[in-house]
Amino acid sequence: MDISVYRPGELTAADRAAWTALQSKAHLHGAPELANPFLSPEFALAVGRCRRGVRIAVVREGGEPAAFFPYQRSTVGVGRAVGLGLSDCQGVVHRPGFTWDAEELLRACGLAVWEFDHLAEGQTPFAAHVTGTFPSPVMDLEQGYEAYLGRLRAGSPKFVRSTFAKERRLGRAVGEVRYVHDERDPGVLRTLMAWKSAQYRRTGRSDRFAHPWITRLVHQLFHTRTDSFAGQLSVLYADGKPAAAHFGLRSERVLTCWFPAYDPAFAKFSPGLLLHLHMAEEGAADGIAYLDLGRGQKQYKDSLKTREISVSEGWVTRRHPVALGHRARRAPVRAVRNTVLARPELFEPADKLLKRMGKFRSGGQVTDTTTKK
């Protein structure tokens, strides 16, 4: 393979355009997973401005780009998916029919190991290195919003009816309910991040926004807008005040559900569910094929999903001592986490313990506004 490796700032405009074109046409070639905005050049470049070690390998055939492989690399050759722990879709963006040798790719990138936790479907050369595959629920809008609602009603008519009834009650109790699909006010983004930080603390989770680089990344993506990519803030207002908000990434056909949260004062009206239904309606009108709710079992995801896609985790390794050491350190932690998440008899006590710890830390009552991330 003809492989060149670039720092983010070295990638040419022509290569970026070729990368975007591969994503734009992916659904036409039976690979819709490659259209995910987490696989876009904009996301890789944004992470590269906030974190060291981001690189992009470009594989060429006949002098033309055939595949793009974004990754992060440590000084000793430990590789990770770009934004590992934040990114919900990872892998190689490639032209139809292209294949690659996994070890040869790592060797060209100077990697002893490459770790992933949301590998996209269809990454066949990496299949032998997968250690687990997990469902990622989706709100399917391919046939339009009304068809999506029809599938929801068929599965749970009471859920749809009661959720929209809550929106009417919210309007009567508080004031006019208004939805903005693409809010450009950075002040509302800050409100969302404050809600999310409070939620993390209440539920005993690590506060992502306590890490300055994640805050910088979200702000950068909020201000990133092209014809094929945008950081999108969606907001449900009640009487002119934000009741629920979501920040995610949008490509031409996929909207990823990334950071949702709501004001706990409105909890009884299920503003998060209402927000997602409005996102689906406006997204369908804007050409979005599906909302990716992300890996992880949550009640609200089960209520909203109409199908699932799959993502995988694992390590691509070469015969190298660095690879052996990295996997030996990481594998036990990942195995324990997955076991707890997969077994309700383990997850529920652990979740309650985390919330109790969060309550003591915050000094207040625990209100479970747990959503994705």
Side-chain angles (χ1 to χ4, degrees):
M1 295 188 292
D2 177 11
I3 304 173
S4 301
V5 175
Y6 301 92
R7 295 174 183 272
E10 298 170 345
L11 199 66
T12 67
D15 281 342
R16 288 180 60 177
W19 187 343
T20 298
L22 290 177
Q23 288 194 285
S24 296
K25 299 174 182 177
H27 69 285
L28 300 175
H29 302 294
E33 63 279 353
L34 297 184
N36 193 291
F38 283 111
L39 291 177
S40 70
E42 289 85 357
F43 180 71
L45 296 179
V47 176
R49 288 190 288 270
C50 298
R51 302 293 280 172
R52 296 179 180 178
V54 173
R55 300 289 185 271
I56 296 115
V58 182
V59 188
R60 303 181 194 277
E61 288 183 334
E64 296 296 322
F68 294 85
F69 175 55
Y71 62 95
Q72 290 179 249
R73 181 186 185 279
S74 74
T75 54
V76 296
V78 172
R80 299 155 52 95
V82 168
L84 185 76
L86 287 176
S87 166
D88 282 353
C89 191
Q90 301 148 5
V92 174
V93 178
H94 58 88
R95 66 169 54 158
F98 176 79
T99 190
W100 63 94
D101 180 274
E103 291 195 26
E104 183 181 351
L105 180 61
L106 260 63
R107 190 176 299 109
C109 295
L111 299 178
V113 58
W114 180 64
E115 181 179 357
F116 54 88
D117 63 0
H118 284 77
L119 186 70
E121 293 179 305
Q123 301 276 305
T124 305
F126 293 148
H129 305 275
V130 166
T131 58
T133 299
F134 308 89
S136 187
V138 162
M139 300 168 69
D140 192 339
L141 306 174
E142 189 72 54
Q143 304 303 317
Y145 177 67
E146 290 304 323
Y148 163 75
L149 270 189
R151 289 191 292 273
L152 275 193
R153 288 192 178 100
S156 180
K158 182 179 178 182
F159 165 74
V160 175
R161 187 170 58 251
S162 64
T163 301
F164 285 124
K166 289 177 181 178
E167 182 169 16
R168 293 190 293 272
R169 289 203 297 272
L170 175 60
R172 290 194 297 268
V174 179
E176 179 191 8
V177 177
R178 180 171 59 93
Y179 171 72
V180 178
H181 191 55
D182 189 12
E183 176 63 80
R184 301 310 302 155
D185 183 355
V188 183
L189 179 63
R190 290 191 292 271
T191 296
L192 167 61
M193 294 164 76
W195 285 346
K196 201 69 183 174
S197 287
Q199 175 195 313
Y200 287 137
R201 293 192 297 271
R202 276 195 304 271
T203 56
R205 271 69 175 181
S206 173
D207 181 4
R208 292 176 182 270
F209 294 116
H211 302 279
W213 77 268
I214 295 179
T215 300
R216 290 198 307 272
L217 175 65
V218 168
H219 279 291
Q220 284 198 22
L221 291 168
F222 175 72
H223 292 291
T224 301
R225 306 181 73 78
T226 69
D227 291 340
S228 57
F229 178 95
Q232 186 165 299
L233 175 65
S234 300
V235 186
L236 187 74
Y237 290 93
D239 194 29
K241 299 177 182 178
H246 166 267
F247 180 76
L249 306 181
R250 177 194 60 78
S251 65
E252 292 178 2
R253 292 180 54 80
V254 180
L255 175 60
T256 60
C257 298
W258 202 16
F259 291 112
Y262 59 82
D263 185 341
F266 298 101
K268 66 181 179 180
F269 301 106
S270 299
L273 292 174
L274 291 170
L275 176 70
H276 278 79
L277 290 175
H278 281 290
M279 287 164 55
E281 182 176 20
E282 293 295 325
D286 199 30
I288 294 296
Y290 66 88
L291 271 66
D292 185 351
L293 295 170
R295 170 184 166 185
Q297 297 300 311
K298 300 284 185 182
Q299 185 176 351
Y300 85 97
K301 296 182 185 182
D302 289 338
S303 299
L304 293 167
K305 73 178 182 181
T306 49
R307 66 179 177 91
E308 293 176 339
I309 57 178
S310 295
V311 294
S312 301
E313 63 179 34
W315 295 266
V316 184
T317 59
R318 293 166 51 208
R319 295 181 63 86
H320 194 287
V322 169
L324 294 174
H326 180 75
R327 184 162 182 167
R329 287 192 302 273
R330 294 281 291 159
V333 175
R334 183 177 285 182
V336 169
R337 183 202 65 193
N338 289 338
T339 298
V340 171
L341 291 176
R343 297 176 61 180
E345 70 272 21
L346 297 178
F347 174 75
E348 291 173 8
D351 190 49
K352 289 179 181 178
L353 177 60
L354 286 173
K355 290 173 183 175
R356 193 173 298 118
M357 292 172 63
K359 176 182 176 180
F360 291 144
R361 289 172 183 168
S362 62
Q365 282 194 329
V366 175
T367 302
D368 184 7
T369 59
T370 303
T371 52
K372 187 173 177 300
K373 302 293 185 193

